[in-house]
Amino acid sequence: HVVTSSGYLSDLYIYPAIDRQELIKEIEKAFEPEGAKFKFRKHKEVKIGKLKVLNWRTQQKKNRFEYYLVLGKSYHYLFVSTPYGEQEYIESILRDVRLSK
């Protein structure tokens, strides 16, 4: 867990790398379920600092989670914000971080 400037916890998950197209199918399957009770903003590729990142969002009422997935050759790094956003904090980390390739 990462403690944000506001004192909330954000999550960081490290996964073994898989094919990009397979990964996107898994994201869509997980976050676009039929009859979902939350809103899903489809993933898009964004550049944060020197990193190309897949970004998407889920929202249920006032709770929203921002997802930032850094694709590496050996590992993928998924940063998930708190229910209150904190996207600026995660983006500032991504601008400065060095991740294992």
Side-chain angles (χ1 to χ4, degrees):
H1 291 288
V2 178
V3 178
T4 65
S5 59
S6 61
Y8 295 108
L9 293 176
S10 295
D11 293 317
L12 166 63
Y13 300 93
I14 301 172
Y15 297 105
I18 63 172
D19 175 72
R20 181 186 170 99
Q21 294 307 321
E22 185 180 333
L23 177 66
I24 289 172
K25 285 180 190 176
E26 289 298 318
I27 292 169
E28 290 172 350
K29 187 169 91 175
F31 292 101
E32 289 183 339
E34 203 169 303
K37 303 279 187 209
F38 58 85
K39 295 177 184 176
F40 171 69
R41 185 190 71 213
K42 192 169 176 75
H43 69 277
K44 60 184 175 184
E45 189 171 296
V46 297
K47 187 163 176 145
I48 301 174
K50 295 179 181 180
L51 298 173
K52 287 185 181 176
V53 179
L54 287 180
N55 170 244
W56 66 93
R57 174 191 286 179
T58 59
Q59 184 169 352
Q60 183 179 26
K61 298 184 182 185
K62 291 185 178 183
N63 293 326
R64 69 181 189 280
F65 294 92
E66 286 285 338
Y67 299 81
Y68 296 90
L69 182 62
V70 180
L71 302 177
K73 290 183 181 181
S74 299
Y75 299 100
H76 295 328
Y77 303 88
L78 176 62
F79 294 80
V80 183
S81 73
T82 68
Y84 311 104
E86 295 292 342
Q87 67 198 56
E88 297 86 11
Y89 185 77
I90 292 175
E91 288 177 10
S92 71
I93 290 172
L94 290 172
R95 278 192 271 291
D96 296 332
V97 73
R98 286 187 175 188
L99 300 170
S100 173
K101 305 242 180 197

XYZ file of all heavy atoms in Angstrom:
860
model
N 0.842 -1.192 0.000
C 0.000 0.000 0.000
C 0.880 1.246 0.000
O 1.949 1.261 0.573
C -0.904 0.026 1.228
C -1.948 -1.023 1.213
N -3.029 -0.972 0.381
C -2.074 -2.158 1.926
C -3.788 -2.018 0.604
N -3.230 -2.768 1.525
N 0.365 2.279 -0.615
C 1.056 3.562 -0.661
C 0.202 4.564 0.082
O -0.996 4.653 -0.155
C 1.226 4.028 -2.129
C 1.887 5.378 -2.190
C 2.010 3.002 -2.926
N 0.773 5.308 1.003
C 0.026 6.337 1.705
C 0.099 7.612 0.883
O 1.174 8.069 0.525
C 0.592 6.581 3.123
C -0.175 7.694 3.805
C 0.534 5.305 3.944
N -1.054 8.172 0.564
C -1.107 9.377 -0.251
C -0.962 10.616 0.613
O -0.973 10.539 1.837
C -2.428 9.447 -1.033
O -3.496 9.582 -0.103
C -2.637 8.213 -1.885
N -0.878 11.743 -0.044
C -0.709 13.011 0.675
C -1.874 13.294 1.617
O -1.720 13.971 2.618
C -0.548 14.149 -0.328
O -1.688 14.205 -1.173
N -3.056 12.755 1.295
C -4.226 12.988 2.143
C -4.345 11.936 3.247
O -5.273 11.979 4.034
C -5.496 12.989 1.283
O -5.642 11.745 0.646
N -3.412 10.982 3.276
C -3.441 9.981 4.327
C -4.172 8.707 3.944
O -4.235 7.774 4.739
N -4.732 8.640 2.747
C -5.427 7.437 2.311
C -4.452 6.450 1.685
O -3.383 6.830 1.225
C -6.528 7.781 1.296
C -7.622 8.616 1.888
C -7.754 9.949 1.551
C -8.529 8.060 2.787
C -8.763 10.718 2.104
C -9.537 8.828 3.339
C -9.654 10.157 2.994
O -10.645 10.923 3.527
N -4.858 5.199 1.646
C -4.020 4.174 1.056
C -4.384 3.956 -0.412
O -5.547 3.928 -0.771
C -4.181 2.849 1.799
C -3.670 2.804 3.229
C -4.002 1.462 3.861
C -2.171 3.027 3.260
N -3.387 3.816 -1.249
C -3.562 3.392 -2.630
C -2.855 2.050 -2.751
O -2.024 1.695 -1.932
C -2.930 4.401 -3.585
O -3.595 5.640 -3.506
N -3.195 1.299 -3.793
C -2.618 -0.033 -3.958
C -1.672 -0.086 -5.140
O -1.879 0.592 -6.146
C -3.722 -1.070 -4.198
C -4.604 -1.264 -2.985
O -4.071 -1.330 -1.867
O -5.832 -1.350 -3.158
N -0.667 -0.934 -5.025
C 0.241 -1.255 -6.112
C 0.299 -2.769 -6.199
O 0.547 -3.453 -5.209
C 1.648 -0.706 -5.845
C 2.769 -1.245 -6.739
C 2.526 -0.880 -8.205
C 4.113 -0.728 -6.269
N 0.021 -3.292 -7.408
C 0.090 -4.725 -7.656
C 1.141 -4.968 -8.726
O 1.228 -4.215 -9.688
C -1.259 -5.267 -8.150
C -2.374 -5.053 -7.166
C -3.184 -3.926 -7.242
C -2.634 -5.980 -6.158
C -4.224 -3.721 -6.344
C -3.663 -5.783 -5.255
C -4.456 -4.650 -5.358
O -5.470 -4.450 -4.465
N 1.909 -6.028 -8.582
C 2.925 -6.391 -9.569
C 2.554 -7.772 -10.101
O 2.411 -8.721 -9.328
C 4.330 -6.392 -8.950
C 4.651 -5.013 -8.375
C 5.366 -6.809 -9.993
C 5.931 -4.943 -7.568
N 2.379 -7.828 -11.434
C 1.965 -9.065 -12.095
C 3.008 -9.476 -13.127
O 3.642 -8.619 -13.737
C 0.636 -8.865 -12.835
C -0.517 -8.521 -11.941
C -1.016 -7.222 -11.882
C -1.130 -9.497 -11.163
C -2.094 -6.903 -11.070
C -2.210 -9.185 -10.348
C -2.682 -7.886 -10.303
O -3.741 -7.572 -9.501
N 3.116 -10.785 -13.378
C 3.967 -11.219 -14.487
C 3.400 -10.651 -15.795
O 2.182 -10.542 -15.958
C 3.851 -12.742 -14.469
C 3.265 -13.087 -13.149
C 2.507 -11.901 -12.674
N 4.273 -10.291 -16.710
C 3.837 -9.702 -17.980
C 3.122 -10.747 -18.832
O 3.527 -11.901 -18.870
C 5.034 -9.148 -18.733
N 2.021 -10.319 -19.477
C 1.338 -11.140 -20.470
C 1.151 -10.287 -21.723
O 1.338 -9.072 -21.693
C -0.024 -11.686 -19.968
C -1.008 -10.549 -19.677
C 0.159 -12.581 -18.772
C -2.418 -11.020 -19.365
N 0.776 -10.931 -22.804
C 0.554 -10.254 -24.072
C -0.445 -9.105 -23.915
O -1.462 -9.247 -23.234
C 0.041 -11.272 -25.091
C -0.323 -10.643 -26.407
O 0.605 -10.239 -27.140
O -1.540 -10.538 -26.694
N -0.160 -7.975 -24.551
C -0.990 -6.771 -24.423
C -2.440 -7.018 -24.836
O -3.363 -6.588 -24.145
C -0.383 -5.641 -25.258
C -1.152 -4.352 -25.180
C -0.563 -3.332 -26.157
N -1.414 -2.186 -26.272
C -1.233 -1.045 -25.649
N -0.203 -0.884 -24.857
N -2.074 -0.052 -25.806
N -2.672 -7.683 -25.949
C -4.042 -7.923 -26.409
C -4.800 -8.835 -25.445
O -5.977 -8.619 -25.168
C -4.031 -8.511 -27.824
C -3.506 -7.554 -28.874
C -4.218 -6.200 -28.864
O -5.420 -6.103 -28.669
N -3.448 -5.137 -29.049
N -4.123 -9.841 -24.936
C -4.732 -10.730 -23.940
C -5.068 -9.955 -22.674
O -6.131 -10.131 -22.078
C -3.771 -11.871 -23.628
C -4.326 -12.915 -22.696
C -3.332 -14.035 -22.414
O -2.464 -14.296 -23.259
O -3.435 -14.629 -21.329
N -4.177 -9.081 -22.281
C -4.381 -8.246 -21.099
C -5.605 -7.347 -21.267
O -6.440 -7.244 -20.370
C -3.133 -7.406 -20.844
C -3.202 -6.431 -19.689
C -3.322 -7.174 -18.368
C -1.983 -5.535 -19.686
N -5.733 -6.700 -22.412
C -6.872 -5.805 -22.659
C -8.180 -6.593 -22.624
O -9.175 -6.126 -22.050
C -6.676 -5.038 -23.976
C -5.564 -4.005 -23.772
C -7.969 -4.370 -24.433
C -5.116 -3.289 -25.018
N -8.199 -7.792 -23.170
C -9.396 -8.634 -23.098
C -9.763 -8.927 -21.649
O -10.934 -8.898 -21.274
C -9.172 -9.948 -23.850
C -9.216 -9.818 -25.340
C -8.990 -11.178 -25.983
C -8.784 -11.048 -27.478
N -8.475 -12.350 -28.086
N -8.754 -9.203 -20.812
C -9.003 -9.488 -19.398
C -9.542 -8.261 -18.659
O -10.422 -8.375 -17.815
C -7.735 -10.004 -18.725
C -7.330 -11.388 -19.143
C -8.365 -12.441 -18.783
O -8.928 -12.406 -17.669
O -8.620 -13.311 -19.631
N -9.005 -7.096 -18.971
C -9.491 -5.847 -18.351
C -10.950 -5.638 -18.705
O -11.791 -5.365 -17.846
C -8.639 -4.634 -18.784
C -7.234 -4.735 -18.199
C -9.309 -3.324 -18.358
C -6.248 -3.740 -18.785
N -11.270 -5.751 -19.990
C -12.647 -5.536 -20.433
C -13.591 -6.568 -19.828
O -14.705 -6.244 -19.430
C -12.714 -5.543 -21.950
C -12.043 -4.316 -22.544
C -11.912 -4.350 -24.055
O -12.179 -5.415 -24.669
O -11.534 -3.312 -24.622
N -13.152 -7.814 -19.727
C -13.979 -8.857 -19.130
C -14.237 -8.559 -17.648
O -15.348 -8.749 -17.155
C -13.283 -10.210 -19.295
C -14.130 -11.393 -18.864
C -13.493 -12.694 -19.306
C -12.575 -13.237 -18.244
N -12.013 -14.560 -18.589
N -13.231 -8.079 -16.960
C -13.358 -7.820 -15.525
C -14.182 -6.574 -15.216
O -14.910 -6.540 -14.229
C -11.972 -7.684 -14.897
N -14.063 -5.545 -16.064
C -14.668 -4.265 -15.712
C -15.886 -3.878 -16.539
O -16.483 -2.855 -16.284
C -13.616 -3.148 -15.794
C -12.581 -3.286 -14.724
C -11.343 -3.831 -15.004
C -12.848 -2.900 -13.429
C -10.390 -3.976 -14.015
C -11.910 -3.038 -12.433
C -10.664 -3.576 -12.724
N -16.257 -4.683 -17.527
C -17.468 -4.413 -18.285
C -18.466 -5.564 -18.143
O -19.053 -5.994 -19.126
C -17.138 -4.201 -19.768
C -16.416 -2.920 -20.065
C -16.175 -2.729 -21.567
O -16.202 -3.717 -22.315
O -15.968 -1.589 -21.960
N -18.655 -6.068 -16.940
C -19.593 -7.191 -16.806
C -21.026 -6.739 -17.100
O -21.388 -5.594 -16.832
C -19.431 -7.615 -15.349
C -18.925 -6.417 -14.649
C -18.112 -5.655 -15.662
N -21.793 -7.654 -17.654
C -23.187 -7.348 -17.954
C -23.935 -7.094 -16.652
O -23.766 -7.817 -15.674
C -23.800 -8.539 -18.688
C -25.002 -8.156 -19.511
C -25.433 -9.282 -20.422
O -24.593 -9.739 -21.221
O -26.595 -9.691 -20.302
N -24.739 -6.043 -16.616
C -25.512 -5.727 -15.419
C -24.686 -5.130 -14.295
O -25.093 -5.161 -13.138
N -23.525 -4.558 -14.606
C -22.651 -3.991 -13.574
C -23.353 -2.857 -12.834
O -24.147 -2.118 -13.399
C -21.364 -3.484 -14.205
N -23.030 -2.721 -11.564
C -23.605 -1.670 -10.720
C -22.722 -0.432 -10.684
O -22.939 0.463 -9.903
C -23.794 -2.185 -9.295
C -24.651 -3.403 -9.193
C -26.102 -3.038 -9.231
C -26.920 -4.292 -8.944
N -28.202 -4.279 -9.557
N -21.694 -0.386 -11.507
C -20.785 0.755 -11.527
C -20.548 1.191 -12.963
O -20.808 0.464 -13.909
C -19.453 0.415 -10.851
C -18.731 -0.751 -11.475
C -17.906 -0.578 -12.572
C -18.888 -2.025 -10.958
C -17.253 -1.654 -13.147
C -18.236 -3.105 -11.531
C -17.422 -2.917 -12.630
N -20.050 2.410 -13.106
C -19.699 2.939 -14.419
C -18.247 2.589 -14.710
O -17.419 2.552 -13.803
C -19.857 4.459 -14.450
C -21.284 4.916 -14.276
C -21.346 6.429 -14.256
C -22.750 6.889 -13.986
N -22.846 8.343 -13.856
N -17.951 2.357 -15.959
C -16.609 1.989 -16.390
C -16.190 2.903 -17.528
O -16.897 3.013 -18.525
C -16.601 0.528 -16.861
C -15.333 0.085 -17.533
C -14.162 -0.042 -16.814
C -15.309 -0.218 -18.885
C -12.990 -0.463 -17.430
C -14.146 -0.643 -19.509
C -12.990 -0.764 -18.770
N -15.069 3.607 -17.340
C -14.490 4.385 -18.437
C -13.434 3.512 -19.083
O -12.470 3.102 -18.442
C -13.854 5.681 -17.937
C -13.368 6.555 -19.122
C -12.531 7.725 -18.673
N -11.239 7.191 -18.202
C -10.531 7.711 -17.229
N -10.950 8.766 -16.582
N -9.380 7.177 -16.866
N -13.653 3.189 -20.341
C -12.789 2.278 -21.084
C -11.331 2.726 -21.003
O -11.031 3.909 -20.907
C -13.249 2.226 -22.529
C -12.636 1.125 -23.340
C -13.366 1.005 -24.662
C -12.728 -0.022 -25.547
N -12.984 -1.378 -25.161
N -10.441 1.762 -21.072
C -9.010 2.049 -20.982
C -8.549 2.897 -22.169
O -9.129 2.853 -23.254
C -8.219 0.743 -20.939
C -8.260 0.002 -22.237
N -9.305 -0.815 -22.565
C -7.417 0.000 -23.284
C -9.091 -1.304 -23.767
N -7.950 -0.833 -24.226
N -7.530 3.667 -21.911
C -6.866 4.444 -22.958
C -5.390 4.484 -22.602
O -5.014 4.318 -21.445
C -7.443 5.852 -23.070
C -7.307 6.679 -21.799
C -7.976 8.020 -21.923
C -7.893 8.736 -20.582
N -8.584 10.003 -20.580
N -4.573 4.685 -23.615
C -3.136 4.795 -23.356
C -2.795 6.261 -23.151
O -3.178 7.108 -23.950
C -2.331 4.227 -24.521
C -0.864 4.117 -24.194
C -0.083 3.354 -25.234
O -0.345 2.157 -25.400
O 0.789 3.971 -25.878
N -2.120 6.550 -22.060
C -1.697 7.911 -21.754
C -0.192 7.897 -21.486
O 0.381 6.865 -21.144
C -2.455 8.506 -20.540
C -3.934 8.611 -20.821
C -2.225 7.687 -19.274
N 0.418 9.046 -21.640
C 1.847 9.174 -21.340
C 1.982 10.018 -20.077
O 1.440 11.114 -19.993
C 2.579 9.821 -22.510
C 4.068 9.809 -22.317
C 4.803 10.059 -23.591
C 6.266 10.110 -23.239
N 7.141 9.587 -24.187
N 2.681 9.463 -19.106
C 2.946 10.164 -17.851
C 4.456 10.158 -17.676
O 5.053 9.102 -17.475
C 2.244 9.495 -16.657
C 0.732 9.469 -16.879
C 2.589 10.222 -15.365
C -0.026 8.696 -15.820
N 5.052 11.325 -17.776
C 6.508 11.392 -17.763
C 7.038 10.629 -18.956
O 6.628 10.857 -20.086
N 7.917 9.661 -18.707
C 8.484 8.842 -19.783
C 7.726 7.532 -19.981
O 8.065 6.750 -20.852
C 9.949 8.537 -19.483
C 10.831 9.766 -19.473
C 12.257 9.406 -19.159
C 13.123 10.666 -19.118
N 14.516 10.361 -18.818
N 6.704 7.291 -19.166
C 5.988 6.019 -19.208
C 4.730 6.089 -20.060
O 3.981 7.056 -19.987
C 5.579 5.595 -17.789
C 6.692 5.348 -16.788
C 6.091 5.100 -15.417
C 7.526 4.154 -17.224
N 4.498 5.036 -20.834
C 3.211 4.842 -21.496
C 2.401 3.935 -20.583
O 2.863 2.865 -20.189
C 3.389 4.209 -22.868
C 3.966 5.167 -23.873
C 4.013 4.539 -25.237
C 4.619 5.528 -26.221
N 4.778 4.913 -27.549
N 1.205 4.373 -20.245
C 0.402 3.722 -19.224
C -1.013 3.488 -19.749
O -1.568 4.355 -20.410
C 0.340 4.627 -17.965
C -0.498 4.014 -16.879
C 1.729 4.943 -17.446
N -1.590 2.331 -19.434
C -3.009 2.125 -19.682
C -3.760 2.680 -18.481
O -3.409 2.392 -17.331
C -3.336 0.637 -19.838
C -2.897 -0.037 -21.118
C -3.297 -1.518 -21.098
C -3.488 0.636 -22.328
N -4.776 3.477 -18.748
C -5.540 4.121 -17.678
C -7.025 3.858 -17.902
O -7.501 3.942 -19.033
C -5.248 5.625 -17.692
C -6.161 6.420 -16.789
O -6.918 7.243 -17.273
N -6.100 6.195 -15.502
N -7.751 3.520 -16.819
C -9.199 3.394 -16.871
C -9.765 3.744 -15.511
O -9.033 3.951 -14.552
C -9.643 1.998 -17.333
C -9.325 0.867 -16.409
C -10.135 0.335 -15.436
C -8.118 0.092 -16.364
N -9.497 -0.705 -14.807
C -8.271 -0.881 -15.366
C -6.920 0.126 -17.089
C -7.269 -1.799 -15.062
C -5.935 -0.791 -16.784
C -6.121 -1.735 -15.792
N -11.079 3.857 -15.433
C -11.724 4.277 -14.187
C -13.010 3.494 -13.981
O -13.718 3.183 -14.924
C -12.067 5.758 -14.241
C -12.872 6.224 -13.021
C -13.444 7.600 -13.186
N -12.379 8.568 -13.049
C -12.554 9.871 -13.162
N -13.722 10.372 -13.451
N -11.544 10.684 -13.017
N -13.283 3.199 -12.710
C -14.597 2.695 -12.327
C -15.185 3.693 -11.338
O -14.456 4.365 -10.608
C -14.522 1.301 -11.679
O -13.697 1.356 -10.520
C -13.999 0.267 -12.654
N -16.503 3.789 -11.352
C -17.166 4.716 -10.439
C -18.514 4.151 -10.023
O -19.282 3.670 -10.853
C -17.366 6.077 -11.097
C -17.961 7.098 -10.152
C -17.911 8.507 -10.724
O -17.308 8.754 -11.761
N -18.556 9.425 -10.044
N -18.766 4.205 -8.720
C -20.068 3.859 -8.168
C -20.430 4.953 -7.181
O -19.740 5.127 -6.176
C -20.050 2.502 -7.476
C -21.408 2.098 -6.958
C -21.401 0.745 -6.287
O -20.381 0.299 -5.783
N -22.540 0.095 -6.268
N -21.454 5.713 -7.522
C -21.867 6.891 -6.753
C -20.672 7.840 -6.635
O -20.110 8.229 -7.628
C -22.462 6.489 -5.421
C -23.704 5.640 -5.592
C -24.353 5.315 -4.303
C -25.554 4.419 -4.599
N -26.332 4.119 -3.467
N -20.248 8.195 -5.416
C -19.124 9.131 -5.255
C -17.761 8.437 -5.239
O -16.735 9.095 -5.282
C -19.286 9.938 -3.971
C -20.434 10.921 -4.027
C -20.480 11.768 -2.779
C -21.596 12.767 -2.878
N -21.644 13.664 -1.726
N -17.763 7.134 -5.140
C -16.497 6.389 -5.102
C -15.993 6.139 -6.510
O -16.691 5.565 -7.333
C -16.675 5.047 -4.391
C -16.973 5.217 -2.931
O -16.486 6.143 -2.297
N -17.779 4.333 -2.385
N -14.771 6.583 -6.763
C -14.171 6.322 -8.064
C -12.753 5.809 -7.858
O -12.037 6.253 -6.963
C -14.190 7.562 -8.939
C -13.276 8.664 -8.501
C -13.383 9.879 -9.436
N -12.360 10.835 -9.146
C -12.386 11.718 -8.163
N -13.426 11.766 -7.350
N -11.403 12.555 -7.975
N -12.397 4.861 -8.689
C -11.056 4.291 -8.651
C -10.393 4.534 -9.994
O -10.963 4.223 -11.037
C -11.098 2.778 -8.377
C -11.603 2.419 -7.020
C -12.949 2.170 -6.800
C -10.732 2.325 -5.955
C -13.414 1.836 -5.539
C -11.183 1.990 -4.687
C -12.539 1.749 -4.483
N -9.206 5.100 -9.953
C -8.386 5.280 -11.156
C -7.373 4.143 -11.187
O -6.760 3.816 -10.168
C -7.629 6.610 -11.123
C -8.472 7.819 -11.365
C -8.876 8.014 -12.815
O -8.215 7.491 -13.736
O -9.884 8.704 -13.029
N -7.213 3.549 -12.351
C -6.275 2.440 -12.551
C -5.201 2.890 -13.527
O -5.514 3.449 -14.582
C -6.997 1.224 -13.128
C -8.091 0.693 -12.240
C -9.347 1.289 -12.226
C -7.867 -0.397 -11.417
C -10.357 0.801 -11.408
C -8.866 -0.894 -10.598
C -10.119 -0.286 -10.599
O -11.111 -0.768 -9.790
N -3.954 2.647 -13.169
C -2.812 2.961 -14.030
C -1.981 1.692 -14.154
O -1.469 1.185 -13.159
C -1.948 4.061 -13.425
C -2.650 5.379 -13.296
C -3.360 5.702 -12.148
C -2.597 6.319 -14.321
C -4.007 6.916 -12.028
C -3.237 7.535 -14.216
C -3.946 7.827 -13.061
O -4.582 9.033 -12.951
N -1.874 1.173 -15.375
C -1.138 -0.062 -15.596
C 0.078 0.227 -16.459
O -0.041 0.630 -17.613
C -2.024 -1.103 -16.273
C -1.394 -2.467 -16.510
C -1.017 -3.132 -15.183
C -2.348 -3.359 -17.273
N 1.259 0.060 -15.851
C 2.521 0.240 -16.556
C 2.918 -1.131 -17.108
O 3.030 -2.095 -16.348
C 3.629 0.764 -15.617
C 4.941 0.937 -16.376
C 3.200 2.064 -14.952
N 3.105 -1.200 -18.435
C 3.445 -2.468 -19.074
C 4.952 -2.600 -19.181
O 5.612 -1.760 -19.786
C 2.823 -2.540 -20.469
C 1.298 -2.386 -20.512
C 0.818 -2.395 -21.949
C 0.622 -3.469 -19.705
N 5.478 -3.639 -18.580
C 6.905 -3.913 -18.665
C 7.156 -5.201 -19.433
O 6.218 -5.918 -19.779
N 8.410 -5.505 -19.695
C 8.737 -6.735 -20.420
C 8.570 -7.963 -19.528
O 8.106 -9.001 -19.973
C 10.158 -6.664 -20.960
C 10.299 -5.668 -22.089
C 11.690 -5.675 -22.649
C 11.780 -4.641 -23.774
N 13.098 -4.606 -24.367
N 8.960 -7.849 -18.261
C 8.852 -8.981 -17.341
C 7.678 -8.851 -16.385
O 7.109 -9.861 -15.957
C 10.136 -9.119 -16.515
O 11.234 -9.349 -17.365
N 7.329 -7.611 -16.032
C 6.268 -7.362 -15.064
C 5.373 -6.227 -15.535
O 5.808 -5.323 -16.245
C 6.855 -6.983 -13.696
C 7.704 -8.066 -13.102
C 9.091 -8.011 -13.195
C 7.130 -9.150 -12.463
C 9.876 -9.017 -12.662
C 7.917 -10.163 -11.920
C 9.290 -10.088 -12.033
O 10.061 -11.081 -11.511
N 4.107 -6.285 -15.092
C 3.170 -5.178 -15.258
C 2.910 -4.625 -13.857
O 2.772 -5.389 -12.898
C 1.855 -5.637 -15.879
C 1.973 -6.146 -17.275
N 2.887 -5.682 -18.189
C 1.267 -7.094 -17.918
C 2.734 -6.314 -19.332
N 1.762 -7.183 -19.192
N 2.835 -3.311 -13.753
C 2.647 -2.640 -12.467
C 1.304 -1.925 -12.487
O 1.097 -1.012 -13.274
C 3.765 -1.630 -12.222
C 5.136 -2.252 -12.267
C 5.840 -2.376 -13.467
C 5.733 -2.725 -11.108
C 7.099 -2.955 -13.505
C 6.995 -3.307 -11.141
C 7.663 -3.415 -12.335
O 8.916 -3.997 -12.386
N 0.395 -2.335 -11.622
C -0.935 -1.747 -11.564
C -1.062 -0.888 -10.312
O -0.961 -1.391 -9.196
C -2.010 -2.839 -11.553
C -3.456 -2.370 -11.406
C -3.859 -1.474 -12.583
C -4.393 -3.552 -11.268
N -1.277 0.404 -10.516
C -1.519 1.351 -9.431
C -3.025 1.627 -9.399
O -3.608 1.955 -10.423
C -0.784 2.673 -9.675
C 0.717 2.562 -9.632
C 1.427 2.081 -10.715
C 1.405 2.958 -8.498
C 2.804 1.995 -10.688
C 2.792 2.867 -8.454
C 3.489 2.388 -9.545
N -3.638 1.514 -8.225
C -5.070 1.750 -8.071
C -5.245 2.832 -7.009
O -4.717 2.723 -5.909
C -5.826 0.476 -7.641
C -7.321 0.741 -7.568
C -5.514 -0.682 -8.571
N -6.009 3.853 -7.365
C -6.219 4.950 -6.426
C -7.178 4.552 -5.311
O -7.822 3.506 -5.356
C -6.792 6.165 -7.161
O -8.152 5.940 -7.497
N -7.305 5.416 -4.343
C -8.296 5.264 -3.284
C -9.681 5.533 -3.878
O -9.789 6.031 -4.995
C -8.052 6.293 -2.169
O -8.345 7.586 -2.686
C -6.635 6.237 -1.646
N -10.744 5.256 -3.126
C -12.092 5.563 -3.625
C -12.322 7.059 -3.840
O -13.315 7.452 -4.418
C -13.023 5.053 -2.535
C -12.218 4.119 -1.724
C -10.791 4.536 -1.864
N -11.412 7.885 -3.386
C -11.575 9.334 -3.478
C -10.760 9.941 -4.599
O -10.595 11.148 -4.675
C -11.196 9.984 -2.141
C -11.871 9.282 -0.990
C -11.165 8.427 -0.166
C -13.236 9.420 -0.781
C -11.789 7.742 0.852
C -13.877 8.732 0.240
C -13.151 7.905 1.054
O -13.778 7.216 2.051
N -10.203 9.103 -5.462
C -9.435 9.618 -6.585
C -7.954 9.524 -6.350
O -7.369 8.474 -6.501
N -7.343 10.611 -5.956
C -5.898 10.685 -5.724
C -5.097 10.456 -7.007
O -3.945 10.069 -6.951
C -5.433 9.689 -4.651
C -5.973 9.967 -3.278
C -5.429 11.240 -2.643
O -4.389 11.751 -3.086
O -6.051 11.715 -1.707
N -5.714 10.699 -8.164
C -4.998 10.442 -9.408
C -3.784 11.338 -9.561
O -2.763 10.900 -10.088
C -5.933 10.577 -10.606
C -6.434 11.993 -10.838
C -7.650 12.024 -11.727
O -8.640 11.376 -11.425
N -7.554 12.758 -12.805
N -3.839 12.571 -9.101
C -2.681 13.469 -9.215
C -1.489 12.920 -8.442
O -0.351 13.019 -8.880
C -3.013 14.885 -8.718
C -4.087 15.590 -9.510
C -5.499 15.258 -9.036
O -5.666 14.635 -7.957
O -6.442 15.596 -9.758
N -1.764 12.332 -7.287
C -0.690 11.778 -6.463
C -0.030 10.596 -7.172
O 1.196 10.509 -7.245
C -1.244 11.364 -5.101
C -0.165 10.908 -4.156
C 0.648 11.832 -3.511
C 0.063 9.564 -3.927
C 1.653 11.421 -2.658
C 1.064 9.138 -3.078
C 1.854 10.076 -2.443
O 2.850 9.658 -1.605
N -0.844 9.693 -7.721
C -0.291 8.533 -8.422
C 0.471 8.988 -9.664
O 1.557 8.482 -9.956
C -1.401 7.522 -8.778
C -1.936 6.898 -7.493
C -0.868 6.442 -9.720
C -3.107 5.974 -7.677
N -0.072 9.950 -10.394
C 0.617 10.441 -11.586
C 1.961 11.073 -11.234
O 2.931 10.914 -11.971
C -0.270 11.416 -12.352
C -1.421 10.703 -13.039
C -2.370 11.628 -13.762
O -2.071 12.839 -13.922
O -3.430 11.132 -14.203
N 2.058 11.741 -10.088
C 3.341 12.323 -9.689
C 4.341 11.216 -9.343
O 5.534 11.337 -9.627
C 3.182 13.307 -8.528
O 2.886 12.638 -7.326
N 3.873 10.120 -8.759
C 4.751 8.979 -8.486
C 5.249 8.391 -9.801
O 6.437 8.114 -9.965
C 4.012 7.890 -7.665
C 3.754 8.381 -6.242
C 4.803 6.578 -7.655
C 2.875 7.466 -5.422
N 4.347 8.230 -10.769
C 4.718 7.639 -12.055
C 5.713 8.502 -12.829
O 6.522 7.985 -13.587
C 3.474 7.371 -12.896
C 2.575 6.247 -12.375
C 1.276 6.186 -13.163
C 3.292 4.918 -12.400
N 5.676 9.814 -12.634
C 6.637 10.695 -13.309
C 8.055 10.486 -12.773
O 9.025 10.697 -13.494
C 6.232 12.163 -13.139
C 5.181 12.610 -14.117
C 5.015 14.109 -14.133
N 4.048 14.640 -13.186
C 2.729 14.457 -13.266
N 2.220 13.723 -14.213
N 1.925 14.991 -12.385
N 8.168 10.079 -11.515
C 9.480 9.987 -10.872
C 9.991 8.562 -10.649
O 11.158 8.369 -10.343
C 9.432 10.675 -9.501
C 9.153 12.162 -9.620
O 9.505 12.753 -10.648
O 8.549 12.717 -8.684
N 9.139 7.566 -10.802
C 9.503 6.203 -10.422
C 10.407 5.539 -11.474
O 10.364 5.874 -12.651
C 8.223 5.352 -10.202
C 7.551 5.012 -11.529
C 8.525 4.096 -9.433
N 11.237 4.631 -10.999
C 12.018 3.756 -11.876
C 11.575 2.342 -11.585
O 11.680 1.878 -10.450
C 13.508 3.881 -11.574
C 14.104 5.146 -12.069
C 15.586 5.092 -11.890
N 16.168 6.276 -12.494
C 17.456 6.445 -12.637
N 18.285 5.520 -12.210
N 17.936 7.529 -13.192
N 11.062 1.671 -12.597
C 10.543 0.329 -12.425
C 11.457 -0.682 -13.106
O 12.056 -0.395 -14.132
C 9.136 0.230 -13.033
C 8.099 1.181 -12.420
C 6.834 1.188 -13.236
C 7.817 0.799 -10.989
N 11.544 -1.870 -12.529
C 12.329 -2.947 -13.116
C 11.710 -3.349 -14.438
O 10.507 -3.516 -14.540
C 12.358 -4.144 -12.164
O 12.962 -5.237 -12.778
N 12.530 -3.461 -15.479
C 12.002 -3.858 -16.787
C 11.928 -5.353 -16.818
O 11.386 -6.010 -17.557
C 12.890 -3.326 -17.890
C 13.061 -1.832 -17.789
C 12.522 -1.175 -18.984
C 12.724 0.332 -18.835
N 12.006 1.131 -19.641
